[in-house]
Structures are given as structure tokens and as C-alpha cells.
Amino acid sequence: VLLLSCLDLKSTILDKSHYLLYYLTCAMNPRMLITVNEDMSLRPVTVRVGQAVETVGQAGKPKRITGFQTHQTPVLLQAKERAELGTEEVLAVSSVLEGIVILKDNPEYETEGESK
């Protein structure tokens, strides 16, 4: 509807149907990744952002992104990009890393100097 009304802007969107712009502004939201603790305080963590790769039907634990760059959160994601955590120090509560993601500490994580 909005695209069709753009064919004659002067008599639709810019004149008596200006409320159609509200539909457009609701549809525009940035894809971002913000990581927070369980108490909802901002927690910067290293993430890898790269082009999404389809991994359905592949054996083992395949990489979900290719051609990645390493960033600190918060980051903006482009249309065909995906993010994954850069370290195993934290675990994400959700399986999809997009929007606001709650992180918790990994109880099985060991630093290099630590031994059992």
C-alpha cells in the first residue's frame, strides 16, 4: 500500500494520507546486538560478526558465519550478517544473538593459568 501510494506523492502521502508514514517508521528498526548481565547491566563482550552461512544438515559443529570481524558489543548488524560469541567465558540465554541478549557466566570455563 505504501509503495503504491508513492507513485503519486502529492495527492497521497504529502496531502491527506500522511498517516501512512507511521506504518513506514514502525517498520524501520536497526538490527543490533546488545549484551547484558542477568541483572540487566551492560556487559561488553567480544563477538564475531560475519556473513551468515546455512548449516542445516551439516555434520559436527560447523561454523555459522564466514569472513568475520571481531568487535566489542554493542554492535550493529547488516542485513545478511550473523553474530556469535568470541569466547566461551560466557553463555547466551537465547540461541539467537540479535537484539538484547542476556549473558551468564560459563561454570565450566577455565582460564589458561587455572588447572584442576
Side-chain angles (χ1 to χ4, degrees), residues 15-86:
D15 189 25
K16 53 190 166 206
S17 300
H18 58 85
Y19 58 88
L20 289 175
L21 289 174
Y22 290 117
Y23 293 112
L24 181 65
T25 56
C26 290
M28 295 186 313
N29 56 347
R31 290 187 60 218
M32 59 188 160
L33 173 63
I34 299 172
T35 54
V36 295
N37 281 339
E38 293 170 327
D39 60 348
M40 293 299 173
S41 63
L42 187 65
R43 178 169 185 172
V45 69
T46 304
V47 292
R48 291 189 286 251
V49 177
Q51 186 176 3
V53 175
E54 190 64 41
T55 59
V56 175
Q58 292 183 359
K61 188 178 179 184
K63 295 288 184 185
R64 298 178 58 200
I65 61 173
T66 183
F68 61 85
Q69 293 180 346
T70 306
H71 297 284
Q72 286 285 100
T73 56
V75 294
L76 286 174
L77 302 173
Q78 293 182 10
K80 294 184 179 180
E81 285 186 338
R82 187 179 290 161
E84 65 181 22
L85 292 173

